[in-house]
Amino acid sequence: MTTENIIGNNAHGFTNEQLLIKSLDSKKYKSLNTHLKKFIQQICIEHGISIRDEMLITSFKAEREIDPFTNSRINVKPDFYIEITNQKFGISTKMGSGNSVHQEKVESFIHWIKNNKNIIIKDESIYNDLRLFTWGDGTLDGSAPVTRDSKSYVIGRYSTKEFKKIYPEKHKLIQEFLNKNSQEIIKRSLFLGKTNNEVHYIYHGTSINGVWISQDAILNFNLTNPLNNSTFNVGRLSFQIYNADKKGTPSGAKKRGDIQLKYGTIENDIQHLMLISTSNIGTYEGNLEEFNFSKMMNRNKKHKFWNYLHSKLNLNKNKYYYIVKVEGQKYSKNAKKKVMCKTDNYIIETEKELDKSFLLRNEYQLTEADLDNIAEYRIVLNSGMSIKQKSSNNFTITKLTVSSFKSAFNNYLNNLEYISATLIFYCTKNQVDKNYKIAQDLNIEESKFIEFIASEYGLNIESLLDYNSLSLATKATKELVTKTIENNKELKRALFAGKGWFDSPYDINFIYSNGQLTDQFYTPYRIDNGSGRSKGIYTIIIKPC
């Protein structure tokens, strides 16, 4: 929590902050989970720090400091600090939605404006305009008499939206002031606060799943992509009255006279910036989809997908169900070792409802690691789900190494060493010279390969450099493999859903794609080779058409 005062109940935010500190403090880089390694890696790269496995990271909570205006102790903008090789970085953590990022008394805000040389002021009347707006009763100090209407509302008090209707010219002048000084106001709201303790990175999420962005990136994005809402905005932040106390309550009276800035799109904005800056967009976006799906389902028990799953899996209406994200590799009977399984999420059943504070700490996102903290649960068989990215054609249905390809098709095709080699060889003029290295790696004799192609397809290949003939052979092989898949349902179910290769729930029974959940996991497809071929990593993949 990084507002100047505690707003509402955000106890889970404080706990999350403590968990992040615990996950980082006194840890060597090599011992961090993959997610936090990426976060530390970005900090190091952007600040010229050499990354070493033995590098020690320390982390500690930010202490409250004296507000120079009120002389009282307040929370500073960083929630905690990360220290790497004697360099200290302030981190602001955000959880939930509709985040309040800054709040302060209007007089404190005006005092800051007057003493900031970078602020541009057209006319000093802006000070009274801000007072008129913030107090919400037509006065400059909140002193209007309390007279109530028939519904017990205080007559003459107004909200931020109502201010625009009552004082359109004042609204225009305040928005012009905000526009001219958006950079300074955003920096105060997000990164410096009232004590100038600086935030270098904003982190939204938990220690196992979150998004983060640097101060420069989020500031530039706000300045170049401002919102234009119906009230007030500063970049992508909303500027509003914290509490007009329209009902005239004792508790509400204490909250009057404050301005507040909220950043409702902060999570989406950080995700967007991460997506356009990360070097592995597919992996990042895929993980994001998986976590967002579990968050959506665990948070909203009335979601239409639960009705669908209850019907398909015959779930017990007297039990409780939650979505869990798969972690790590699982044993494949085809590969005969642990590999990444087909399933991204599955369902567990509990006798009792999970503790609300536990769910809040995890932002409703559960992983297999969290199962240790659940006393009694049962995995719902046949509940495995594959969660696809929004760009639904940008995924791989199945990726097979040469050995796992041979194992998968062993009962259906002969000469699999040559069939797999045909799918991997280059058949373009500018890269065909790499085929001899591939043949050597795969233990393929050129003469025997040429004999196989002639026998199987009736094609005459002069050598592994004959790209025209190789192209025809590759096309014929893809047709042969596709025909084999279509003629053998058991093989197709294994390739598309992991059926028979992985134990439940690590095989697929449902697919979530483009906002829809379905048990129809077959899709038009094509056979291709993997992207690591030039590096000596040979794979055969099945992708959507």
Side-chain angles (χ1 to χ4, degrees), residues 333-344:
K333 297 171 187 175
N334 178 61
K336 296 178 176 58
K337 63 179 181 179
K338 286 187 174 184
V339 298
M340 298 305 294
C341 69
K342 306 296 290 184
T343 299
D344 298 309

PDB file of all heavy atoms in Angstrom, residues 333-344:
ATOM      1  N   LYS A 333       4.607 -40.849 -20.322  1.00  0.00           N
ATOM      2  CA  LYS A 333       4.823 -42.258 -20.673  1.00  0.00           C
ATOM      3  C   LYS A 333       5.391 -42.389 -22.074  1.00  0.00           C
ATOM      4  O   LYS A 333       6.001 -43.406 -22.409  1.00  0.00           O
ATOM      5  CB  LYS A 333       3.495 -43.016 -20.554  1.00  0.00           C
ATOM      6  CG  LYS A 333       2.943 -43.042 -19.142  1.00  0.00           C
ATOM      7  CD  LYS A 333       1.526 -43.596 -19.106  1.00  0.00           C
ATOM      8  CE  LYS A 333       0.925 -43.459 -17.710  1.00  0.00           C
ATOM      9  NZ  LYS A 333      -0.493 -43.883 -17.661  1.00  0.00           N
ATOM     10  N   ASN A 334       5.176 -41.367 -22.903  1.00  0.00           N
ATOM     11  CA  ASN A 334       5.728 -41.397 -24.252  1.00  0.00           C
ATOM     12  C   ASN A 334       7.216 -41.035 -24.250  1.00  0.00           C
ATOM     13  O   ASN A 334       8.042 -41.748 -24.803  1.00  0.00           O
ATOM     14  CB  ASN A 334       4.969 -40.445 -25.162  1.00  0.00           C
ATOM     15  CG  ASN A 334       5.532 -40.413 -26.569  1.00  0.00           C
ATOM     16  OD1 ASN A 334       5.559 -41.422 -27.264  1.00  0.00           O
ATOM     17  ND2 ASN A 334       5.999 -39.252 -27.008  1.00  0.00           N
ATOM     18  N   ALA A 335       7.555 -39.920 -23.582  1.00  0.00           N
ATOM     19  CA  ALA A 335       8.954 -39.479 -23.528  1.00  0.00           C
ATOM     20  C   ALA A 335       9.764 -40.288 -22.517  1.00  0.00           C
ATOM     21  O   ALA A 335      10.992 -40.284 -22.551  1.00  0.00           O
ATOM     22  CB  ALA A 335       9.024 -38.002 -23.175  1.00  0.00           C
ATOM     23  N   LYS A 336       9.055 -40.950 -21.589  1.00  0.00           N
ATOM     24  CA  LYS A 336       9.680 -41.754 -20.531  1.00  0.00           C
ATOM     25  C   LYS A 336      10.575 -40.892 -19.624  1.00  0.00           C
ATOM     26  O   LYS A 336      11.633 -41.323 -19.171  1.00  0.00           O
ATOM     27  CB  LYS A 336      10.463 -42.926 -21.118  1.00  0.00           C
ATOM     28  CG  LYS A 336       9.571 -43.923 -21.847  1.00  0.00           C
ATOM     29  CD  LYS A 336      10.379 -45.053 -22.451  1.00  0.00           C
ATOM     30  CE  LYS A 336       9.455 -46.099 -23.085  1.00  0.00           C
ATOM     31  NZ  LYS A 336       8.569 -45.541 -24.136  1.00  0.00           N
ATOM     32  N   LYS A 337      10.129 -39.683 -19.390  1.00  0.00           N
ATOM     33  CA  LYS A 337      10.804 -38.769 -18.479  1.00  0.00           C
ATOM     34  C   LYS A 337       9.851 -37.619 -18.171  1.00  0.00           C
ATOM     35  O   LYS A 337       8.775 -37.514 -18.777  1.00  0.00           O
ATOM     36  CB  LYS A 337      12.100 -38.243 -19.078  1.00  0.00           C
ATOM     37  CG  LYS A 337      11.910 -37.415 -20.347  1.00  0.00           C
ATOM     38  CD  LYS A 337      13.237 -36.908 -20.870  1.00  0.00           C
ATOM     39  CE  LYS A 337      13.037 -36.052 -22.123  1.00  0.00           C
ATOM     40  NZ  LYS A 337      14.323 -35.520 -22.631  1.00  0.00           N
ATOM     41  N   LYS A 338      10.254 -36.749 -17.261  1.00  0.00           N
ATOM     42  CA  LYS A 338       9.434 -35.589 -16.941  1.00  0.00           C
ATOM     43  C   LYS A 338       9.595 -34.513 -18.009  1.00  0.00           C
ATOM     44  O   LYS A 338      10.715 -34.154 -18.373  1.00  0.00           O
ATOM     45  CB  LYS A 338       9.805 -35.026 -15.559  1.00  0.00           C
ATOM     46  CG  LYS A 338       9.318 -35.884 -14.402  1.00  0.00           C
ATOM     47  CD  LYS A 338       9.561 -35.194 -13.068  1.00  0.00           C
ATOM     48  CE  LYS A 338       8.951 -35.991 -11.925  1.00  0.00           C
ATOM     49  NZ  LYS A 338       9.101 -35.294 -10.625  1.00  0.00           N
ATOM     50  N   VAL A 339       8.471 -34.020 -18.486  1.00  0.00           N
ATOM     51  CA  VAL A 339       8.453 -32.950 -19.491  1.00  0.00           C
ATOM     52  C   VAL A 339       7.308 -32.003 -19.147  1.00  0.00           C
ATOM     53  O   VAL A 339       6.516 -32.262 -18.235  1.00  0.00           O
ATOM     54  CB  VAL A 339       8.252 -33.515 -20.917  1.00  0.00           C
ATOM     55  CG1 VAL A 339       9.395 -34.435 -21.308  1.00  0.00           C
ATOM     56  CG2 VAL A 339       6.917 -34.259 -21.016  1.00  0.00           C
ATOM     57  N   MET A 340       7.208 -30.894 -19.875  1.00  0.00           N
ATOM     58  CA  MET A 340       6.067 -29.998 -19.692  1.00  0.00           C
ATOM     59  C   MET A 340       4.805 -30.716 -20.169  1.00  0.00           C
ATOM     60  O   MET A 340       4.764 -31.236 -21.289  1.00  0.00           O
ATOM     61  CB  MET A 340       6.260 -28.702 -20.473  1.00  0.00           C
ATOM     62  CG  MET A 340       7.471 -27.887 -20.020  1.00  0.00           C
ATOM     63  SD  MET A 340       7.472 -27.515 -18.249  1.00  0.00           S
ATOM     64  CE  MET A 340       6.060 -26.430 -18.132  1.00  0.00           C
ATOM     65  N   CYS A 341       3.798 -30.755 -19.312  1.00  0.00           N
ATOM     66  CA  CYS A 341       2.583 -31.499 -19.635  1.00  0.00           C
ATOM     67  C   CYS A 341       1.627 -30.648 -20.459  1.00  0.00           C
ATOM     68  O   CYS A 341       1.883 -29.478 -20.735  1.00  0.00           O
ATOM     69  CB  CYS A 341       1.920 -32.003 -18.361  1.00  0.00           C
ATOM     70  SG  CYS A 341       1.205 -30.697 -17.341  1.00  0.00           S
ATOM     71  N   LYS A 342       0.483 -31.250 -20.837  1.00  0.00           N
ATOM     72  CA  LYS A 342      -0.488 -30.557 -21.666  1.00  0.00           C
ATOM     73  C   LYS A 342      -1.351 -29.577 -20.860  1.00  0.00           C
ATOM     74  O   LYS A 342      -1.847 -28.599 -21.382  1.00  0.00           O
ATOM     75  CB  LYS A 342      -1.411 -31.569 -22.355  1.00  0.00           C
ATOM     76  CG  LYS A 342      -0.687 -32.642 -23.149  1.00  0.00           C
ATOM     77  CD  LYS A 342       0.078 -32.086 -24.312  1.00  0.00           C
ATOM     78  CE  LYS A 342      -0.826 -31.592 -25.405  1.00  0.00           C
ATOM     79  NZ  LYS A 342      -0.081 -31.136 -26.597  1.00  0.00           N
ATOM     80  N   THR A 343      -1.533 -29.892 -19.575  1.00  0.00           N
ATOM     81  CA  THR A 343      -2.459 -29.130 -18.751  1.00  0.00           C
ATOM     82  C   THR A 343      -1.819 -27.886 -18.153  1.00  0.00           C
ATOM     83  O   THR A 343      -0.683 -27.929 -17.692  1.00  0.00           O
ATOM     84  CB  THR A 343      -2.995 -30.020 -17.608  1.00  0.00           C
ATOM     85  OG1 THR A 343      -3.677 -31.128 -18.181  1.00  0.00           O
ATOM     86  CG2 THR A 343      -3.941 -29.271 -16.710  1.00  0.00           C
ATOM     87  N   ASP A 344      -2.568 -26.792 -18.132  1.00  0.00           N
ATOM     88  CA  ASP A 344      -2.131 -25.564 -17.463  1.00  0.00           C
ATOM     89  C   ASP A 344      -2.806 -25.406 -16.099  1.00  0.00           C
ATOM     90  O   ASP A 344      -2.210 -24.896 -15.159  1.00  0.00           O
ATOM     91  CB  ASP A 344      -2.449 -24.339 -18.332  1.00  0.00           C
ATOM     92  CG  ASP A 344      -1.729 -24.360 -19.660  1.00  0.00           C
ATOM     93  OD1 ASP A 344      -0.503 -24.556 -19.652  1.00  0.00           O
ATOM     94  OD2 ASP A 344      -2.385 -24.208 -20.702  1.00  0.00           O
TER      95      ASP A 344
END
